[in-house]
Amino acid sequence: MLISLLISFVGSVGVNNMLIIGAAKISERFNWPSLLYIFPYVLTPIFIVIFTLIFLFSTRKIVRDLITLEQGLQIISEGNLNYRVPVNRQDELGRVASNINHMTEQLKQQIAKERELEQSKMDMITGISHDLRTPLTSIIGYIELLKSESFQDKAEYNRFIQNTYNKATHLKKLLDDLFEYTRLNAVNTQLDLKTVDLCQLLEQLLFEFEPLAQEHGIRIEKKLGDAPIMVSLDSDKIARAIDNLLMNALKYSFKPGTIHVRMSVQHNHVTIDVENKGMPLTIEQKNRLFDRFYKVDYSRNSEGIQSGSGLGLSIARNIAELHQGFLTLKHTRNVFIFQLSLPSNIQ
Protein backbone atom coordinates (compact mmCIF):
# COMPACT_ATOMS: atom_id res chain seq x y z
CA MET A 1 0.00 0.00 0.00
CA LEU A 2 2.82 2.43 0.85
CA ILE A 3 4.57 1.53 -2.39
CA SER A 4 1.37 2.22 -4.32
CA LEU A 5 1.07 5.63 -2.65
CA LEU A 6 4.69 6.43 -3.52
CA ILE A 7 4.25 5.32 -7.14
CA SER A 8 1.05 7.37 -7.44
CA PHE A 9 2.73 10.47 -6.00
CA VAL A 10 5.84 10.18 -8.17
CA GLY A 11 3.75 9.49 -11.25
CA SER A 12 1.44 12.44 -10.58
CA VAL A 13 4.39 14.78 -9.98
CA GLY A 14 6.04 13.55 -13.18
CA VAL A 15 2.91 14.08 -15.29
CA ASN A 16 2.34 17.50 -13.70
CA ASN A 17 5.92 18.54 -14.50
CA MET A 18 5.44 17.45 -18.09
CA LEU A 19 2.20 19.46 -18.27
CA ILE A 20 3.93 22.55 -16.82
CA ILE A 21 6.77 22.29 -19.34
CA GLY A 22 4.26 21.74 -22.14
CA ALA A 23 2.15 24.71 -21.05
CA ALA A 24 5.25 26.94 -20.93
CA LYS A 25 6.28 25.95 -24.46
CA ILE A 26 2.78 26.46 -25.84
CA SER A 27 2.54 29.87 -24.19
CA GLU A 28 5.91 30.91 -25.64
CA ARG A 29 5.22 29.55 -29.11
CA PHE A 30 1.75 30.97 -29.52
CA ASN A 31 2.37 34.06 -27.38
CA TRP A 32 -0.34 33.14 -24.85
CA PRO A 33 0.96 34.55 -21.57
CA SER A 34 -2.53 34.26 -20.10
CA LEU A 35 -2.17 30.48 -20.25
CA LEU A 36 0.53 30.62 -17.57
CA TYR A 37 -1.83 32.59 -15.30
CA ILE A 38 -4.80 30.22 -15.80
CA PHE A 39 -2.83 26.92 -15.71
CA PRO A 40 -1.95 26.92 -11.94
CA TYR A 41 -5.65 26.92 -11.10
CA VAL A 42 -6.26 23.72 -13.05
CA LEU A 43 -2.95 22.11 -12.06
CA THR A 44 -4.13 20.93 -8.61
CA PRO A 45 -7.34 19.20 -9.90
CA ILE A 46 -5.28 17.57 -12.63
CA PHE A 47 -2.75 16.36 -10.03
CA ILE A 48 -5.56 14.89 -7.88
CA VAL A 49 -7.17 13.15 -10.86
CA ILE A 50 -3.88 11.71 -12.09
CA PHE A 51 -2.89 10.64 -8.54
CA THR A 52 -6.27 8.91 -8.04
CA LEU A 53 -6.15 7.10 -11.40
CA ILE A 54 -2.59 5.84 -10.84
CA PHE A 55 -3.41 4.79 -7.23
CA LEU A 56 -6.56 2.91 -8.29
CA PHE A 57 -4.70 1.17 -11.08
CA SER A 58 -1.77 0.14 -8.87
CA THR A 59 -4.03 -1.06 -6.01
CA ARG A 60 -6.67 -2.88 -8.05
CA LYS A 61 -5.34 -6.33 -6.95
CA ILE A 62 -5.20 -5.23 -3.32
CA VAL A 63 -8.79 -3.96 -3.48
CA ARG A 64 -9.90 -7.21 -5.11
CA ASP A 65 -8.18 -9.26 -2.39
CA LEU A 66 -9.69 -7.04 0.32
CA ILE A 67 -13.15 -7.68 -1.13
CA THR A 68 -12.41 -11.43 -1.15
CA LEU A 69 -11.21 -11.17 2.45
CA GLU A 70 -14.37 -9.31 3.49
CA GLN A 71 -16.58 -11.86 1.75
CA GLY A 72 -14.70 -14.71 3.43
CA LEU A 73 -15.13 -13.11 6.86
CA GLN A 74 -18.84 -12.73 6.15
CA ILE A 75 -19.15 -16.42 5.26
CA ILE A 76 -17.24 -17.47 8.39
CA SER A 77 -19.27 -15.12 10.62
CA GLU A 78 -22.45 -16.80 9.35
CA GLY A 79 -21.23 -20.08 10.84
CA ASN A 80 -19.48 -21.83 7.96
CA LEU A 81 -16.28 -22.84 9.77
CA ASN A 82 -15.26 -25.14 6.90
CA TYR A 83 -14.64 -22.17 4.62
CA ARG A 84 -11.07 -20.96 4.18
CA VAL A 85 -10.02 -17.57 2.80
CA PRO A 86 -7.83 -17.91 -0.32
CA VAL A 87 -4.21 -16.99 0.37
CA ASN A 88 -2.89 -15.50 -2.90
CA ARG A 89 -0.32 -13.08 -1.52
CA GLN A 90 2.86 -13.16 0.53
CA ASP A 91 2.53 -9.68 2.02
CA GLU A 92 0.55 -8.30 4.96
CA LEU A 93 -2.81 -9.23 3.40
CA GLY A 94 -1.57 -12.78 2.84
CA ARG A 95 -0.58 -13.03 6.50
CA VAL A 96 -3.97 -11.64 7.53
CA ALA A 97 -5.71 -14.29 5.39
CA SER A 98 -3.51 -17.02 6.90
CA ASN A 99 -4.26 -15.80 10.43
CA ILE A 100 -8.00 -15.76 9.68
CA ASN A 101 -7.82 -19.36 8.45
CA HIS A 102 -5.81 -20.37 11.51
CA MET A 103 -8.30 -18.62 13.81
CA THR A 104 -11.19 -20.38 12.03
CA GLU A 105 -9.52 -23.78 12.43
CA GLN A 106 -8.86 -23.14 16.12
CA LEU A 107 -12.46 -22.02 16.60
CA LYS A 108 -13.73 -25.12 14.81
CA GLN A 109 -11.60 -27.38 17.02
CA GLN A 110 -12.72 -25.53 20.16
CA ILE A 111 -16.39 -25.92 19.25
CA ALA A 112 -15.86 -29.62 18.47
CA LYS A 113 -14.10 -30.04 21.82
CA GLU A 114 -16.94 -28.28 23.66
CA ARG A 115 -19.51 -30.48 21.91
CA GLU A 116 -17.50 -33.57 22.81
CA LEU A 117 -17.29 -32.37 26.42
CA GLU A 118 -21.03 -31.73 26.48
CA GLN A 119 -21.70 -35.18 25.03
CA SER A 120 -19.32 -36.65 27.61
CA LYS A 121 -21.29 -34.93 30.38
CA MET A 122 -24.55 -36.33 29.00
CA ASP A 123 -23.01 -39.81 28.76
CA MET A 124 -21.75 -39.40 32.33
CA ILE A 125 -25.22 -38.47 33.62
CA THR A 126 -26.77 -41.35 31.67
CA GLY A 127 -24.16 -43.78 32.98
CA ILE A 128 -24.59 -42.64 36.58
CA SER A 129 -28.38 -42.84 36.32
CA HIS A 130 -28.31 -46.33 34.86
CA ASP A 131 -25.68 -47.73 37.22
CA LEU A 132 -27.30 -46.33 40.34
CA ARG A 133 -30.86 -47.15 39.34
CA THR A 134 -30.25 -50.88 38.82
CA PRO A 135 -29.16 -51.83 42.39
CA LEU A 136 -31.51 -49.23 43.89
CA THR A 137 -34.47 -50.79 42.08
CA SER A 138 -33.47 -54.21 43.41
CA ILE A 139 -33.16 -52.85 46.97
CA ILE A 140 -36.62 -51.27 46.78
CA GLY A 141 -38.04 -54.52 45.39
CA TYR A 142 -36.60 -56.64 48.20
CA ILE A 143 -37.74 -54.15 50.86
CA GLU A 144 -41.29 -54.24 49.45
CA LEU A 145 -41.23 -58.05 49.61
CA LEU A 146 -40.06 -57.88 53.21
CA LYS A 147 -42.70 -55.26 54.14
CA SER A 148 -45.49 -57.33 52.65
CA GLU A 149 -44.02 -60.49 54.25
CA SER A 150 -43.98 -62.17 50.84
CA PHE A 151 -41.59 -64.90 51.87
CA GLN A 152 -42.33 -68.53 52.52
CA ASP A 153 -39.98 -69.33 55.35
CA LYS A 154 -37.05 -68.09 57.41
CA ALA A 155 -34.55 -69.25 54.78
CA GLU A 156 -36.19 -67.15 52.06
CA TYR A 157 -36.40 -64.21 54.48
CA ASN A 158 -32.67 -64.48 55.13
CA ARG A 159 -32.01 -64.71 51.39
CA PHE A 160 -33.98 -61.50 50.79
CA ILE A 161 -32.02 -59.77 53.55
CA GLN A 162 -28.69 -60.98 52.14
CA ASN A 163 -29.62 -59.92 48.59
CA THR A 164 -30.67 -56.49 49.86
CA TYR A 165 -27.38 -56.14 51.69
CA ASN A 166 -25.42 -57.22 48.60
CA LYS A 167 -27.23 -54.68 46.41
CA ALA A 168 -26.69 -51.93 48.98
CA THR A 169 -22.98 -52.81 49.13
CA HIS A 170 -22.83 -52.71 45.34
CA LEU A 171 -24.55 -49.32 45.34
CA LYS A 172 -22.01 -48.02 47.86
CA LYS A 173 -19.17 -49.31 45.65
CA LEU A 174 -20.58 -47.44 42.66
CA LEU A 175 -20.88 -44.24 44.69
CA ASP A 176 -17.34 -44.70 46.03
CA ASP A 177 -16.05 -45.07 42.46
CA LEU A 178 -17.86 -41.93 41.38
CA PHE A 179 -16.58 -39.98 44.38
CA GLU A 180 -13.03 -41.21 43.82
CA TYR A 181 -13.16 -40.31 40.15
CA THR A 182 -14.39 -36.76 40.76
CA ARG A 183 -11.83 -36.34 43.54
CA LEU A 184 -8.97 -37.51 41.33
CA ASN A 185 -10.02 -35.11 38.56
CA ALA A 186 -10.17 -32.10 40.87
CA VAL A 187 -7.63 -29.38 40.13
CA ASN A 188 -6.24 -29.33 43.67
CA THR A 189 -5.85 -33.10 44.15
CA GLN A 190 -3.10 -33.79 46.68
CA LEU A 191 -1.16 -37.02 47.20
CA ASP A 192 -0.28 -38.28 50.67
CA LEU A 193 3.22 -39.39 49.72
CA LYS A 194 5.04 -41.79 52.04
CA THR A 195 7.95 -44.13 51.52
CA VAL A 196 6.58 -47.68 51.46
CA ASP A 197 7.73 -51.13 50.39
CA LEU A 198 5.79 -51.61 47.14
CA CYS A 199 6.63 -55.32 47.11
CA GLN A 200 5.07 -55.80 50.56
CA LEU A 201 2.03 -53.70 49.58
CA LEU A 202 1.44 -55.84 46.50
CA GLU A 203 1.90 -59.06 48.51
CA GLN A 204 -0.78 -57.90 50.96
CA LEU A 205 -3.21 -56.99 48.17
CA LEU A 206 -2.75 -60.38 46.49
CA PHE A 207 -3.18 -62.18 49.84
CA GLU A 208 -6.56 -60.46 50.31
CA PHE A 209 -7.57 -60.98 46.67
CA GLU A 210 -6.69 -64.66 46.36
CA PRO A 211 -9.76 -66.13 48.17
CA LEU A 212 -12.11 -64.21 45.85
CA ALA A 213 -10.14 -65.37 42.82
CA GLN A 214 -10.25 -69.02 43.94
CA GLU A 215 -13.99 -68.73 44.50
CA HIS A 216 -14.36 -67.96 40.78
CA GLY A 217 -11.92 -70.58 39.55
CA ILE A 218 -8.96 -68.24 39.07
CA ARG A 219 -5.41 -69.08 40.13
CA ILE A 220 -2.89 -66.34 40.98
CA GLU A 221 0.70 -66.68 39.80
CA LYS A 222 3.02 -63.98 41.06
CA LYS A 223 6.61 -63.05 40.40
CA LEU A 224 7.51 -60.13 42.65
CA GLY A 225 11.06 -60.78 43.78
CA ASP A 226 12.33 -60.84 47.37
CA ALA A 227 14.12 -57.51 47.78
CA PRO A 228 12.18 -54.58 49.29
CA ILE A 229 11.31 -51.87 46.77
CA MET A 230 11.05 -48.61 48.67
CA VAL A 231 9.03 -46.05 46.72
CA SER A 232 7.54 -42.67 47.62
CA LEU A 233 3.82 -42.89 46.80
CA ASP A 234 0.27 -42.55 48.11
CA SER A 235 -0.26 -46.13 49.29
CA ASP A 236 -4.07 -45.89 49.52
CA LYS A 237 -4.43 -44.64 45.97
CA ILE A 238 -1.92 -47.10 44.52
CA ALA A 239 -3.69 -49.93 46.37
CA ARG A 240 -6.95 -48.72 44.78
CA ALA A 241 -5.39 -48.73 41.31
CA ILE A 242 -3.92 -52.24 41.69
CA ASP A 243 -7.18 -53.56 43.14
CA ASN A 244 -9.07 -52.16 40.14
CA LEU A 245 -6.69 -53.93 37.78
CA LEU A 246 -7.06 -57.23 39.64
CA MET A 247 -10.87 -56.96 39.70
CA ASN A 248 -10.91 -56.17 35.99
CA ALA A 249 -8.77 -59.23 35.27
CA LEU A 250 -11.02 -61.38 37.48
CA LYS A 251 -14.23 -60.22 35.76
CA TYR A 252 -13.04 -60.77 32.21
CA SER A 253 -10.77 -63.84 32.53
CA PHE A 254 -11.59 -67.20 31.07
CA LYS A 255 -12.75 -69.41 33.94
CA PRO A 256 -11.04 -71.52 35.09
CA GLY A 257 -7.94 -69.50 34.36
CA THR A 258 -4.83 -67.80 35.68
CA ILE A 259 -3.92 -64.22 36.49
CA HIS A 260 -0.20 -63.48 36.31
CA VAL A 261 1.15 -60.63 38.44
CA ARG A 262 4.73 -59.52 37.90
CA MET A 263 6.79 -56.65 39.29
CA SER A 264 10.16 -55.44 38.05
CA VAL A 265 12.45 -52.44 38.32
CA GLN A 266 13.61 -50.98 35.01
CA HIS A 267 15.72 -47.84 34.82
CA ASN A 268 13.90 -45.25 36.93
CA HIS A 269 10.51 -46.98 36.99
CA VAL A 270 8.83 -49.79 38.85
CA THR A 271 6.53 -51.78 36.59
CA ILE A 272 3.60 -53.97 37.71
CA ASP A 273 2.08 -56.27 35.08
CA VAL A 274 -1.36 -57.86 35.50
CA GLU A 275 -1.93 -60.46 32.78
CA ASN A 276 -4.99 -62.56 32.02
CA LYS A 277 -6.66 -64.32 29.12
CA GLY A 278 -10.16 -63.43 27.98
CA MET A 279 -12.37 -62.67 25.01
CA PRO A 280 -10.51 -60.56 22.40
CA LEU A 281 -11.38 -56.89 21.98
CA THR A 282 -12.12 -54.99 18.82
CA ILE A 283 -9.96 -51.97 17.96
CA GLU A 284 -12.76 -49.61 19.01
CA GLN A 285 -13.20 -51.42 22.35
CA LYS A 286 -9.45 -51.28 22.99
CA ASN A 287 -9.28 -47.56 22.19
CA ARG A 288 -12.18 -46.77 24.54
CA LEU A 289 -11.26 -49.12 27.37
CA PHE A 290 -9.90 -46.35 29.60
CA ASP A 291 -12.84 -43.99 28.90
CA ARG A 292 -14.96 -43.17 31.92
CA PHE A 293 -18.21 -45.13 32.18
CA TYR A 294 -17.22 -47.30 29.23
CA LYS A 295 -18.03 -50.98 29.60
CA VAL A 296 -17.24 -53.68 27.11
CA ASP A 297 -20.36 -55.44 25.83
CA TYR A 298 -21.83 -58.32 27.75
CA SER A 299 -20.15 -60.93 25.57
CA ARG A 300 -17.27 -60.44 28.03
CA ASN A 301 -19.55 -61.26 30.94
CA SER A 302 -18.29 -61.34 34.47
CA GLU A 303 -19.87 -64.68 35.31
CA GLY A 304 -21.61 -63.81 38.54
CA ILE A 305 -19.44 -60.88 39.58
CA GLN A 306 -21.43 -57.68 39.93
CA SER A 307 -20.79 -55.19 37.14
CA GLY A 308 -18.86 -52.08 38.05
CA SER A 309 -19.36 -48.43 37.26
CA GLY A 310 -17.10 -48.38 34.21
CA LEU A 311 -14.71 -46.12 36.13
CA GLY A 312 -12.22 -48.68 37.44
CA LEU A 313 -9.62 -48.45 34.67
CA SER A 314 -10.10 -44.70 34.32
CA ILE A 315 -9.47 -44.27 38.06
CA ALA A 316 -6.39 -46.51 37.88
CA ARG A 317 -4.96 -44.48 34.99
CA ASN A 318 -5.64 -41.18 36.80
CA ILE A 319 -3.86 -42.47 39.91
CA ALA A 320 -0.86 -43.52 37.80
CA GLU A 321 -0.70 -40.10 36.12
CA LEU A 322 -0.97 -38.30 39.47
CA HIS A 323 2.19 -40.20 40.45
CA GLN A 324 3.79 -39.10 37.13
CA GLY A 325 3.53 -42.66 35.87
CA PHE A 326 1.30 -44.30 33.28
CA LEU A 327 -1.04 -47.24 32.73
CA THR A 328 -1.11 -49.02 29.37
CA LEU A 329 -2.68 -52.11 27.83
CA LYS A 330 -0.89 -54.65 25.66
CA HIS A 331 -3.52 -56.73 23.89
CA THR A 332 -2.59 -59.64 21.62
CA ARG A 333 -5.46 -61.90 20.58
CA ASN A 334 -6.91 -63.11 23.88
CA VAL A 335 -3.99 -62.06 26.13
CA PHE A 336 -4.33 -58.83 28.12
CA ILE A 337 -1.40 -57.23 29.95
CA PHE A 338 -2.16 -54.09 31.95
CA GLN A 339 1.13 -52.40 32.77
CA LEU A 340 1.28 -49.93 35.66
CA SER A 341 4.55 -48.00 35.63
CA LEU A 342 5.58 -45.67 38.47
CA PRO A 343 8.72 -43.57 39.07
CA SER A 344 10.89 -45.69 41.34
CA ASN A 345 12.71 -43.19 43.60
CA ILE A 346 14.37 -46.28 45.13
CA GLN A 347 16.16 -45.53 48.38
Side-chain angles (χ1 to χ4, degrees), residues 45 60 73 99 108 117 146 169 192 199 226 228 262 269-270 279 321 331:
R60 67 190 188 282
L73 284 171
N99 288 335
K108 181 181 177 182
L117 183 60
L146 292 170
T169 303
D192 182 17
C199 184
D226 299 324
R262 297 180 292 270
H269 281 76
V270 179
M279 292 292 293
E321 291 173 352
H331 172 224

Side-chain angles (χ1 to χ4, degrees), residues 330-342:
K330 295 180 180 179
H331 172 224
T332 307
R333 296 184 180 177
N334 62 349
V335 178
F336 299 83
I337 303 176
F338 285 91
Q339 193 170 78
L340 175 64
S341 184
L342 301 169

Side-chain angles (χ1 to χ4, degrees), residues 91-280:
D91 56 4
E92 293 85 353
L93 276 181
R95 289 194 291 272
V96 170
S98 297
N99 288 335
I100 289 173
N101 290 338
H102 179 69
M103 177 193 68
T104 305
E105 183 63 29
Q106 292 293 105
L107 184 60
K108 181 181 177 182
Q109 292 178 4
Q110 183 65 28
I111 291 175
K113 186 176 180 180
E114 289 177 359
R115 287 176 179 170
E116 183 180 347
L117 183 60
E118 188 64 27
Q119 184 61 44
S120 178
K121 289 180 180 177
M122 294 302 297
D123 292 343
M124 179 177 179
I125 293 172
T126 303
I128 292 172
S129 301
H130 178 270
D131 287 334
L132 298 183
R133 183 178 59 185
T134 302
L136 188 58
T137 301
S138 298
I139 291 171
I140 292 172
Y142 282 120
I143 290 176
E144 287 178 348
L145 290 174
L146 292 170
K147 282 178 62 179
S148 61
E149 298 184 355
S150 300
F151 48 86
Q152 298 177 357
D153 50 30
K154 182 66 173 177
E156 191 170 47
Y157 171 84
N158 291 334
R159 182 166 60 85
F160 287 172
I161 291 292
Q162 184 61 44
N163 288 344
T164 304
Y165 175 79
N166 291 341
K167 295 296 181 181
T169 303
H170 183 212
L171 182 60
K172 182 180 181 300
K173 176 67 166 58
L174 296 176
L175 290 170
D176 287 344
D177 283 347
L178 180 61
F179 175 74
E180 183 70 15
Y181 179 81
T182 54
R183 194 156 59 102
L184 289 172
N185 282 271
V187 178
N188 57 348
T189 302
Q190 299 291 327
L191 295 176
D192 182 17
L193 296 177
K194 295 179 181 177
T195 301
V196 299
D197 184 353
L198 187 56
C199 184
Q200 183 179 358
L201 176 63
L202 188 52
E203 283 276 12
Q204 180 64 30
L205 290 172
L206 291 175
F207 177 78
E208 296 171 358
F209 177 74
E210 200 159 8
L212 179 63
Q214 291 176 352
E215 182 182 337
H216 291 88
I218 296 295
R219 190 164 53 91
I220 304 295
E221 285 193 2
K222 56 187 179 181
K223 186 178 180 182
L224 310 181
D226 299 324
I229 301 178
M230 307 305 295
V231 184
S232 178
L233 47 77
D234 188 323
S235 58
D236 289 338
K237 285 185 171 57
I238 291 298
R240 178 69 178 269
I242 296 172
D243 184 64
N244 287 355
L245 294 179
L246 293 173
M247 284 302 299
N248 181 78
L250 177 60
K251 288 179 183 178
Y252 300 119
S253 287
F254 289 139
K255 298 174 180 63
T258 304
I259 295 176
H260 299 271
V261 181
R262 297 180 292 270
M263 183 164 62
S264 60
V265 180
Q266 300 174 348
H267 305 295
N268 296 322
H269 281 76
V270 179
T271 301
I272 299 173
D273 290 345
V274 178
E275 177 184 337
N276 69 287
K277 290 185 178 180
M279 292 292 293

Side-chain angles (χ1 to χ4, degrees), residues 20 29-30 43 45 50 57 120 191 204 229 237 241 272 291:
I20 291 172
R29 182 173 181 179
F30 294 99
L43 186 62
I50 294 172
F57 179 79
S120 178
L191 295 176
Q204 180 64 30
I229 301 178
K237 285 185 171 57
I272 299 173
D291 291 354

